[in-house]
Amino acid sequence: MNKVTLFQARRIVTMDAFQPHATHVAVQNGKIVAVGDAQCADRWGQDVVRDDRLRDAVLMPGFVEGHAHLMAGGIWRYTYVGYHDRIDPDSRAWPGLTSALEVTDRLRAQHSLLPAEQPLVAWGFDPVFLKGERLNRHHLDQVSPDRPIAVLFSNLHLMCVNSAALALVGYGIETLVEGVVKDADDFPTGELQEMAAMFPLMRRLGVDFRNLAQTEDSLHAFGRLAVQAGVTTMTDLFSTLTDDDLTLMQDVTSAQDYPLRIVPVLGATGGLPEEIAARVKTLAEHNSDKLRFGAVKLLTDGSIQGWTARVRAPGYVGGQPNGLWNIPPAQIHDLCDVMQREGIQMHLHANGDEASEVCIDAIEAALRKHPAPVDHRHVIQHGQMMDEAQFRRCAELGMVVNLFANHLWYFGDQHVALTIGDERANRMDACRSALDSGLVLAIHSDAPVTPLGPLFTAWCAVNRQTMTGRVLGQEQRLTVAEALYALTLGAAKTLKMEHEVGSITVGKIADFAVLGKDPEQVAPEALCDIPVLGTVASGKVFLT
Amino acid sequence: MRDRRLPMTVIGGFLGAGKTTLINQLLRQPQGQRLMVLVNDFGAINIDAALIESAGADMLSLTNGCVCCTMGGDLFMAIADVLDRHPRPDHLLVEASGVADPQKIANAAVAEPEMRNGGIVSVIDGENGSALLDDPQIADQVRGQISCANLIYVSKGKPGTEFLTTLKEIVPNAGFAHTAAEVTAFTELGQDLSVRVEKNAPHPAYVQWSATDDAQFDAKGLRQALMNRPTGILRIKGFVRGAGATGWLVQGVGRSIDITSIPQPQETQLLAIGLKENLNTENCHTWWRDALRRHDELSLED
């Protein structure tokens, strides 16, 4: 029999209703064998190794991030120039930048570090938060007139480049290309909008979004980000999985020191529903401890802040046309029909309330035809504009929801002013209504769209504060206990993994978040300030 | 003289419109060119075994020189991969996804200096297409796919008069094609810049017009002249003499026009095609004669 390790902590918040708190947890072969006090492991014989490295820390179940993307790791190969503070996978803090001047200062510092032949690429830029002149090629030319520079906007639909980069493609005064923005003298400003205008430059700079996800470096960076955030189980929620990708993921995650359980959810695209179902079943044959296939993702509409989400009347407050379907309603119905028939769990991206309505309709229709499996647990992802009526239908149909709580802070003010107005913004990401309707609830970051950090996500759901300090719909606030449940067992349930992770319970995997303070004992406003010291994944300790 | 840029034609149309069926037919057409087709879904491509030279997991090579590939997760990067192939195909056809705006894809060929816009063919289900325009959940998206088309290919039966009128309201300048051969004829023009009529006998559904003279234009004057071309012209190509050592390569599809500087050609040559029902070649003669006269007058004023 392998040795038993007994971890001692200042306090353990187990999230297990039968034994909510403890001070010790014993682990064998990566599984929890005992929870309790200093004597809890005694019955496992003399062969107990005491590990007191965590004695000053507070342990919680490893957090479960139910909606993130592998790119959250890979994007860090580029220089971060966003407005909000972020921490990279190597634990380096990158303070947010508040003006074009600060952006060029940071780029200049990076410029001095790069080999001469390498282009300088940055990411995370968002002019909506900046005052003063809009970033243009003149700013970037001051960083370097020779080295091509490209600054990707946080939405990845736009970029701003310098004159050297414009010259690489030959964009100039004679260029008449949609998306190449011109100044008063008819010369390109440096801003390129949408992929068609961006891609000639991207191919010349070697920027390929495909390489940000399925590479060895990205997978390792993803793992390090998880450790920093206290996350031990995380989705890659729209995976494109070639056979090569599968081999790579197996190689990386099977290493003893890989700290993360990845749940790659196959994007339902590029094939008939039957073919997608067959593919995900084949993938699931390769499941291992740290790699869990079996679900598919349907990307139904766009985003609210991009005015591409499909919303019901009265639509967008600025009179913008309704959004775009990535999968039109008839096809959503076809996919739901086949996936439910084949017993495959679906994660349905639906930002706008028309999209969530169509998803619920489609699942109801599929359930009428194929009542089994009863515990299908299809998940509405984002569900940002869902109301009580939709939640109630979800509950009756056996569905669950994963709401985008981080949006309240990052985009809440924009939603009030520009997209859907006060009334609907106040009930966005209506966590309270979801719980009151009897639903299983998870909350998420959608990293790298917003930074990975479950305690911050919990803070958003508890405080519902925007960047300007406004509270959006305080009636929809969660209690701290409810928010912590959403980060652990709630999210685990949306992945059908609550029998393995989500609480510190005998028999489950020994996945813990290692915290500097006790989330149950700090003020609700201070949830986001709790230091994360690392994780324990399958019994192995990873400290930042 | 050849235009070495890779032409890209986008096949758009809503889900179920019949894009794959058209692509299957296009791949079977005898090709005078090495055609490469990027498709969303490989499973639906259905080619006779006799035509297949080799088949891989995501690529199909045909005995007539055509190659068919899946685009994977990122269309634009897949297009970049095509540009990196040796040898490059003569023509790239891209199957837009059933919800994509084909214009946003075609814009890539306008932006990329190594490519040129080969136009947009939108596929419309003649029988059921009109119902899509009545569905408030998707009508706008479908309308957008139609409005950017240079050529409408009608699949599955004949559209009724009312539907046809609606389509013509949405996209007044597009031609209508009813066979795959007519679509091939639309994509083929442009590689070889020779305008000799006997070398380029058009498909019977098309008429063509050509001009050969020694007219000289500056870029602005040429653009102005070409902007006024008759609306029935689907494609126009050729080269035009400029001043000094510089001349112009012209490639136009629909209402878009691309003018690139080239070494001064011997003479000015233009060739245009349009569908018989839409293009009266007399109008082309008149247009070009007027363009030359107006240009001469402007030059005299200078």
Side-chain angles (χ1 to χ4, degrees), chain A residues 29 64 77 99 110 113 126 154 186 190 245 263-264 278 282 310 319-320 356 367 385 423 429 460 473 482 484 531 543:
Chain A
N29 298 327
V64 179
R77 78 174 57 177
S99 67
Q110 289 301 116
L113 299 174
D126 196 340
S154 57
D186 222 21
D245 295 337
V263 183
T282 308
R310 288 292 309 194
Q320 290 86 355
S356 43
L367 284 168
M385 297 176 67
E423 304 88 340
D429 298 291
C460 290
E482 288 165 339
L484 295 179
L543 296 178

PDB file of all heavy atoms in Angstrom, chain A residues 29 64 77 99 110 113 126 154 186 190 245 263-264 278 282 310 319-320 356 367 385 423 429 460 473 482 484 531 543:
ATOM      1  N   ASN A  29      -2.409   7.990  -2.930  1.00  0.00           N
ATOM      2  CA  ASN A  29      -2.547   7.785  -4.380  1.00  0.00           C
ATOM      3  C   ASN A  29      -3.372   8.884  -5.039  1.00  0.00           C
ATOM      4  O   ASN A  29      -4.153   8.638  -5.960  1.00  0.00           O
ATOM      5  CB  ASN A  29      -3.203   6.426  -4.685  1.00  0.00           C
ATOM      6  CG  ASN A  29      -2.360   5.269  -4.185  1.00  0.00           C
ATOM      7  OD1 ASN A  29      -1.127   5.355  -4.176  1.00  0.00           O
ATOM      8  ND2 ASN A  29      -3.013   4.220  -3.742  1.00  0.00           N
ATOM      9  N   VAL A  64     -12.995  25.049  -9.793  1.00  0.00           N
ATOM     10  CA  VAL A  64     -13.330  24.494 -11.099  1.00  0.00           C
ATOM     11  C   VAL A  64     -13.729  25.656 -12.002  1.00  0.00           C
ATOM     12  O   VAL A  64     -14.699  26.357 -11.711  1.00  0.00           O
ATOM     13  CB  VAL A  64     -14.484  23.472 -10.979  1.00  0.00           C
ATOM     14  CG1 VAL A  64     -14.844  22.921 -12.353  1.00  0.00           C
ATOM     15  CG2 VAL A  64     -14.101  22.344 -10.007  1.00  0.00           C
ATOM     16  N   ARG A  77       2.670  34.829 -24.997  1.00  0.00           N
ATOM     17  CA  ARG A  77       3.912  34.959 -25.768  1.00  0.00           C
ATOM     18  C   ARG A  77       4.035  36.386 -26.307  1.00  0.00           C
ATOM     19  O   ARG A  77       5.100  36.811 -26.734  1.00  0.00           O
ATOM     20  CB  ARG A  77       3.951  33.941 -26.916  1.00  0.00           C
ATOM     21  CG  ARG A  77       3.113  34.324 -28.126  1.00  0.00           C
ATOM     22  CD  ARG A  77       3.314  33.349 -29.242  1.00  0.00           C
ATOM     23  NE  ARG A  77       2.992  32.004 -28.775  1.00  0.00           N
ATOM     24  CZ  ARG A  77       3.022  30.932 -29.548  1.00  0.00           C
ATOM     25  NH1 ARG A  77       3.402  31.042 -30.786  1.00  0.00           N
ATOM     26  NH2 ARG A  77       2.688  29.751 -29.076  1.00  0.00           N
ATOM     27  N   SER A  99      -3.036  54.990 -20.772  1.00  0.00           N
ATOM     28  CA  SER A  99      -2.945  55.979 -21.853  1.00  0.00           C
ATOM     29  C   SER A  99      -2.070  55.419 -22.967  1.00  0.00           C
ATOM     30  O   SER A  99      -1.300  54.473 -22.763  1.00  0.00           O
ATOM     31  CB  SER A  99      -2.326  57.283 -21.341  1.00  0.00           C
ATOM     32  OG  SER A  99      -0.968  57.054 -21.005  1.00  0.00           O
ATOM     33  N   GLN A 110       9.968  46.573 -24.230  1.00  0.00           N
ATOM     34  CA  GLN A 110      10.026  45.252 -24.871  1.00  0.00           C
ATOM     35  C   GLN A 110      10.910  45.282 -26.112  1.00  0.00           C
ATOM     36  O   GLN A 110      11.663  44.350 -26.381  1.00  0.00           O
ATOM     37  CB  GLN A 110       8.617  44.792 -25.262  1.00  0.00           C
ATOM     38  CG  GLN A 110       7.744  44.407 -24.107  1.00  0.00           C
ATOM     39  CD  GLN A 110       8.337  43.279 -23.272  1.00  0.00           C
ATOM     40  OE1 GLN A 110       8.661  43.474 -22.102  1.00  0.00           O
ATOM     41  NE2 GLN A 110       8.515  42.107 -23.883  1.00  0.00           N
ATOM     42  N   LEU A 113      14.410  44.596 -25.656  1.00  0.00           N
ATOM     43  CA  LEU A 113      14.762  43.229 -25.256  1.00  0.00           C
ATOM     44  C   LEU A 113      14.766  42.250 -26.425  1.00  0.00           C
ATOM     45  O   LEU A 113      15.362  41.184 -26.349  1.00  0.00           O
ATOM     46  CB  LEU A 113      13.766  42.719 -24.206  1.00  0.00           C
ATOM     47  CG  LEU A 113      13.680  43.505 -22.893  1.00  0.00           C
ATOM     48  CD1 LEU A 113      12.547  42.977 -22.024  1.00  0.00           C
ATOM     49  CD2 LEU A 113      15.008  43.428 -22.142  1.00  0.00           C
ATOM     50  N   ASP A 126      -7.421  47.930 -25.273  1.00  0.00           N
ATOM     51  CA  ASP A 126      -8.838  48.281 -25.425  1.00  0.00           C
ATOM     52  C   ASP A 126      -9.033  49.788 -25.302  1.00  0.00           C
ATOM     53  O   ASP A 126      -9.030  50.337 -24.206  1.00  0.00           O
ATOM     54  CB  ASP A 126      -9.691  47.554 -24.387  1.00  0.00           C
ATOM     55  CG  ASP A 126     -11.164  47.588 -24.782  1.00  0.00           C
ATOM     56  OD1 ASP A 126     -11.541  48.461 -25.609  1.00  0.00           O
ATOM     57  OD2 ASP A 126     -11.934  46.758 -24.295  1.00  0.00           O
ATOM     58  N   SER A 154      -8.164  43.729 -27.433  1.00  0.00           N
ATOM     59  CA  SER A 154      -8.550  42.605 -26.572  1.00  0.00           C
ATOM     60  C   SER A 154      -9.581  41.698 -27.244  1.00  0.00           C
ATOM     61  O   SER A 154      -9.638  40.512 -26.955  1.00  0.00           O
ATOM     62  CB  SER A 154      -9.076  43.119 -25.230  1.00  0.00           C
ATOM     63  OG  SER A 154     -10.160  43.992 -25.451  1.00  0.00           O
ATOM     64  N   ASP A 186      -5.697  60.664 -46.245  1.00  0.00           N
ATOM     65  CA  ASP A 186      -5.895  59.423 -46.978  1.00  0.00           C
ATOM     66  C   ASP A 186      -4.782  58.398 -46.726  1.00  0.00           C
ATOM     67  O   ASP A 186      -4.632  57.439 -47.469  1.00  0.00           O
ATOM     68  CB  ASP A 186      -6.007  59.690 -48.486  1.00  0.00           C
ATOM     69  CG  ASP A 186      -7.122  58.853 -49.101  1.00  0.00           C
ATOM     70  OD1 ASP A 186      -8.005  58.413 -48.341  1.00  0.00           O
ATOM     71  OD2 ASP A 186      -7.101  58.631 -50.320  1.00  0.00           O
ATOM     72  N   GLY A 190      -3.015  53.224 -39.252  1.00  0.00           N
ATOM     73  CA  GLY A 190      -2.357  52.112 -38.563  1.00  0.00           C
ATOM     74  C   GLY A 190      -3.370  51.143 -37.995  1.00  0.00           C
ATOM     75  O   GLY A 190      -3.048  50.018 -37.654  1.00  0.00           O
ATOM     76  N   ASP A 245      -3.297  17.179 -32.043  1.00  0.00           N
ATOM     77  CA  ASP A 245      -3.621  17.911 -30.817  1.00  0.00           C
ATOM     78  C   ASP A 245      -3.856  16.936 -29.669  1.00  0.00           C
ATOM     79  O   ASP A 245      -3.422  17.161 -28.538  1.00  0.00           O
ATOM     80  CB  ASP A 245      -4.887  18.757 -31.003  1.00  0.00           C
ATOM     81  CG  ASP A 245      -4.697  19.856 -32.038  1.00  0.00           C
ATOM     82  OD1 ASP A 245      -3.543  20.237 -32.285  1.00  0.00           O
ATOM     83  OD2 ASP A 245      -5.714  20.308 -32.594  1.00  0.00           O
ATOM     84  N   VAL A 263     -10.617  19.878 -19.274  1.00  0.00           N
ATOM     85  CA  VAL A 263     -11.847  19.351 -19.869  1.00  0.00           C
ATOM     86  C   VAL A 263     -11.997  20.021 -21.235  1.00  0.00           C
ATOM     87  O   VAL A 263     -12.575  21.099 -21.337  1.00  0.00           O
ATOM     88  CB  VAL A 263     -13.067  19.653 -18.971  1.00  0.00           C
ATOM     89  CG1 VAL A 263     -14.335  19.045 -19.556  1.00  0.00           C
ATOM     90  CG2 VAL A 263     -12.832  19.151 -17.549  1.00  0.00           C
ATOM     91  N   PRO A 264     -11.429  19.417 -22.290  1.00  0.00           N
ATOM     92  CA  PRO A 264     -11.550  20.030 -23.610  1.00  0.00           C
ATOM     93  C   PRO A 264     -12.945  19.730 -24.177  1.00  0.00           C
ATOM     94  O   PRO A 264     -13.315  18.575 -24.284  1.00  0.00           O
ATOM     95  CB  PRO A 264     -10.466  19.347 -24.454  1.00  0.00           C
ATOM     96  CG  PRO A 264      -9.703  18.460 -23.513  1.00  0.00           C
ATOM     97  CD  PRO A 264     -10.627  18.185 -22.350  1.00  0.00           C
ATOM     98  N   ALA A 278     -19.841  11.396 -33.345  1.00  0.00           N
ATOM     99  CA  ALA A 278     -18.925  10.254 -33.462  1.00  0.00           C
ATOM    100  C   ALA A 278     -17.524  10.666 -33.019  1.00  0.00           C
ATOM    101  O   ALA A 278     -16.840   9.915 -32.317  1.00  0.00           O
ATOM    102  CB  ALA A 278     -18.906   9.743 -34.900  1.00  0.00           C
ATOM    103  N   THR A 282     -15.214   9.130 -29.944  1.00  0.00           N
ATOM    104  CA  THR A 282     -13.861   8.591 -30.139  1.00  0.00           C
ATOM    105  C   THR A 282     -12.892   9.261 -29.169  1.00  0.00           C
ATOM    106  O   THR A 282     -12.053   8.596 -28.547  1.00  0.00           O
ATOM    107  CB  THR A 282     -13.392   8.858 -31.589  1.00  0.00           C
ATOM    108  OG1 THR A 282     -14.396   8.368 -32.468  1.00  0.00           O
ATOM    109  CG2 THR A 282     -12.076   8.178 -31.881  1.00  0.00           C
ATOM    110  N   ARG A 310     -27.762  37.754 -30.068  1.00  0.00           N
ATOM    111  CA  ARG A 310     -29.150  37.807 -30.534  1.00  0.00           C
ATOM    112  C   ARG A 310     -30.043  38.124 -29.335  1.00  0.00           C
ATOM    113  O   ARG A 310     -30.189  37.311 -28.424  1.00  0.00           O
ATOM    114  CB  ARG A 310     -29.564  36.459 -31.132  1.00  0.00           C
ATOM    115  CG  ARG A 310     -28.945  36.151 -32.472  1.00  0.00           C
ATOM    116  CD  ARG A 310     -29.407  37.022 -33.634  1.00  0.00           C
ATOM    117  NE  ARG A 310     -30.839  37.131 -33.784  1.00  0.00           N
ATOM    118  CZ  ARG A 310     -31.418  37.622 -34.882  1.00  0.00           C
ATOM    119  NH1 ARG A 310     -30.677  38.039 -35.910  1.00  0.00           N
ATOM    120  NH2 ARG A 310     -32.720  37.704 -34.955  1.00  0.00           N
ATOM    121  N   GLY A 319     -30.238  51.287 -30.978  1.00  0.00           N
ATOM    122  CA  GLY A 319     -30.911  51.018 -32.248  1.00  0.00           C
ATOM    123  C   GLY A 319     -30.092  50.166 -33.200  1.00  0.00           C
ATOM    124  O   GLY A 319     -30.444  50.030 -34.384  1.00  0.00           O
ATOM    125  N   GLN A 320     -28.993  49.574 -32.702  1.00  0.00           N
ATOM    126  CA  GLN A 320     -28.199  48.707 -33.574  1.00  0.00           C
ATOM    127  C   GLN A 320     -29.053  47.528 -34.038  1.00  0.00           C
ATOM    128  O   GLN A 320     -29.950  47.086 -33.329  1.00  0.00           O
ATOM    129  CB  GLN A 320     -26.971  48.164 -32.810  1.00  0.00           C
ATOM    130  CG  GLN A 320     -25.908  49.197 -32.504  1.00  0.00           C
ATOM    131  CD  GLN A 320     -26.183  49.954 -31.218  1.00  0.00           C
ATOM    132  OE1 GLN A 320     -27.218  49.784 -30.582  1.00  0.00           O
ATOM    133  NE2 GLN A 320     -25.262  50.822 -30.838  1.00  0.00           N
ATOM    134  N   SER A 356     -30.644  32.359 -25.892  1.00  0.00           N
ATOM    135  CA  SER A 356     -30.930  31.380 -24.827  1.00  0.00           C
ATOM    136  C   SER A 356     -32.330  30.791 -24.994  1.00  0.00           C
ATOM    137  O   SER A 356     -32.543  29.598 -24.746  1.00  0.00           O
ATOM    138  CB  SER A 356     -30.725  31.982 -23.429  1.00  0.00           C
ATOM    139  OG  SER A 356     -31.245  33.277 -23.317  1.00  0.00           O
ATOM    140  N   LEU A 367     -35.770  16.718 -26.029  1.00  0.00           N
ATOM    141  CA  LEU A 367     -36.151  15.856 -24.903  1.00  0.00           C
ATOM    142  C   LEU A 367     -37.480  15.143 -25.152  1.00  0.00           C
ATOM    143  O   LEU A 367     -37.682  14.026 -24.702  1.00  0.00           O
ATOM    144  CB  LEU A 367     -36.233  16.680 -23.618  1.00  0.00           C
ATOM    145  CG  LEU A 367     -34.882  17.042 -23.010  1.00  0.00           C
ATOM    146  CD1 LEU A 367     -35.040  18.096 -21.926  1.00  0.00           C
ATOM    147  CD2 LEU A 367     -34.211  15.797 -22.433  1.00  0.00           C
ATOM    148  N   MET A 385     -28.500  37.349 -20.366  1.00  0.00           N
ATOM    149  CA  MET A 385     -29.756  38.111 -20.308  1.00  0.00           C
ATOM    150  C   MET A 385     -30.947  37.234 -19.912  1.00  0.00           C
ATOM    151  O   MET A 385     -32.092  37.648 -20.053  1.00  0.00           O
ATOM    152  CB  MET A 385     -30.006  38.780 -21.668  1.00  0.00           C
ATOM    153  CG  MET A 385     -28.928  39.801 -22.027  1.00  0.00           C
ATOM    154  SD  MET A 385     -29.172  40.501 -23.670  1.00  0.00           S
ATOM    155  CE  MET A 385     -30.685  41.436 -23.415  1.00  0.00           C
ATOM    156  N   GLU A 423     -32.336  48.786 -17.172  1.00  0.00           N
ATOM    157  CA  GLU A 423     -33.236  47.769 -16.626  1.00  0.00           C
ATOM    158  C   GLU A 423     -32.684  46.375 -16.852  1.00  0.00           C
ATOM    159  O   GLU A 423     -32.618  45.550 -15.945  1.00  0.00           O
ATOM    160  CB  GLU A 423     -34.637  47.870 -17.254  1.00  0.00           C
ATOM    161  CG  GLU A 423     -35.294  49.239 -17.116  1.00  0.00           C
ATOM    162  CD  GLU A 423     -34.945  50.189 -18.252  1.00  0.00           C
ATOM    163  OE1 GLU A 423     -33.916  49.960 -18.937  1.00  0.00           O
ATOM    164  OE2 GLU A 423     -35.699  51.152 -18.454  1.00  0.00           O
ATOM    165  N   ASP A 429     -26.712  38.487 -15.861  1.00  0.00           N
ATOM    166  CA  ASP A 429     -26.042  37.437 -15.091  1.00  0.00           C
ATOM    167  C   ASP A 429     -26.743  37.265 -13.747  1.00  0.00           C
ATOM    168  O   ASP A 429     -26.149  37.412 -12.678  1.00  0.00           O
ATOM    169  CB  ASP A 429     -24.553  37.764 -14.931  1.00  0.00           C
ATOM    170  CG  ASP A 429     -23.872  37.810 -16.292  1.00  0.00           C
ATOM    171  OD1 ASP A 429     -23.742  36.745 -16.909  1.00  0.00           O
ATOM    172  OD2 ASP A 429     -23.519  38.915 -16.756  1.00  0.00           O
ATOM    173  N   CYS A 460     -17.406  39.271  -7.936  1.00  0.00           N
ATOM    174  CA  CYS A 460     -18.341  39.915  -8.881  1.00  0.00           C
ATOM    175  C   CYS A 460     -19.778  39.491  -8.590  1.00  0.00           C
ATOM    176  O   CYS A 460     -20.686  40.322  -8.575  1.00  0.00           O
ATOM    177  CB  CYS A 460     -17.983  39.548 -10.324  1.00  0.00           C
ATOM    178  SG  CYS A 460     -16.454  40.289 -10.904  1.00  0.00           S
ATOM    179  N   GLY A 473     -28.102  45.875  -9.944  1.00  0.00           N
ATOM    180  CA  GLY A 473     -29.122  44.952  -9.452  1.00  0.00           C
ATOM    181  C   GLY A 473     -28.718  44.215  -8.189  1.00  0.00           C
ATOM    182  O   GLY A 473     -28.426  43.019  -8.231  1.00  0.00           O
ATOM    183  N   GLU A 482     -22.872  30.942  -1.231  1.00  0.00           N
ATOM    184  CA  GLU A 482     -23.413  30.523  -2.529  1.00  0.00           C
ATOM    185  C   GLU A 482     -22.374  30.680  -3.638  1.00  0.00           C
ATOM    186  O   GLU A 482     -22.259  29.842  -4.527  1.00  0.00           O
ATOM    187  CB  GLU A 482     -24.658  31.353  -2.871  1.00  0.00           C
ATOM    188  CG  GLU A 482     -25.877  30.998  -2.041  1.00  0.00           C
ATOM    189  CD  GLU A 482     -26.973  32.058  -2.133  1.00  0.00           C
ATOM    190  OE1 GLU A 482     -26.678  33.220  -2.490  1.00  0.00           O
ATOM    191  OE2 GLU A 482     -28.123  31.714  -1.834  1.00  0.00           O
ATOM    192  N   LEU A 484     -19.085  30.621  -3.282  1.00  0.00           N
ATOM    193  CA  LEU A 484     -18.034  29.606  -3.136  1.00  0.00           C
ATOM    194  C   LEU A 484     -18.523  28.250  -3.641  1.00  0.00           C
ATOM    195  O   LEU A 484     -17.764  27.489  -4.240  1.00  0.00           O
ATOM    196  CB  LEU A 484     -17.595  29.493  -1.667  1.00  0.00           C
ATOM    197  CG  LEU A 484     -16.924  30.747  -1.085  1.00  0.00           C
ATOM    198  CD1 LEU A 484     -16.562  30.515   0.380  1.00  0.00           C
ATOM    199  CD2 LEU A 484     -15.677  31.135  -1.889  1.00  0.00           C
ATOM    200  N   PRO A 531      -5.102  36.188  -1.037  1.00  0.00           N
ATOM    201  CA  PRO A 531      -3.966  35.677  -1.799  1.00  0.00           C
ATOM    202  C   PRO A 531      -4.142  34.183  -2.108  1.00  0.00           C
ATOM    203  O   PRO A 531      -4.591  33.417  -1.257  1.00  0.00           O
ATOM    204  CB  PRO A 531      -2.775  35.879  -0.859  1.00  0.00           C
ATOM    205  CG  PRO A 531      -3.271  36.651   0.308  1.00  0.00           C
ATOM    206  CD  PRO A 531      -4.759  36.529   0.344  1.00  0.00           C
ATOM    207  N   LEU A 543       3.134  25.263  -5.398  1.00  0.00           N
ATOM    208  CA  LEU A 543       3.038  26.606  -4.805  1.00  0.00           C
ATOM    209  C   LEU A 543       3.569  27.633  -5.797  1.00  0.00           C
ATOM    210  O   LEU A 543       4.470  27.344  -6.577  1.00  0.00           O
ATOM    211  CB  LEU A 543       3.821  26.649  -3.490  1.00  0.00           C
ATOM    212  CG  LEU A 543       3.259  25.720  -2.397  1.00  0.00           C
ATOM    213  CD1 LEU A 543       4.105  25.779  -1.138  1.00  0.00           C
ATOM    214  CD2 LEU A 543       1.802  26.055  -2.072  1.00  0.00           C
TER     215      LEU A 543
END
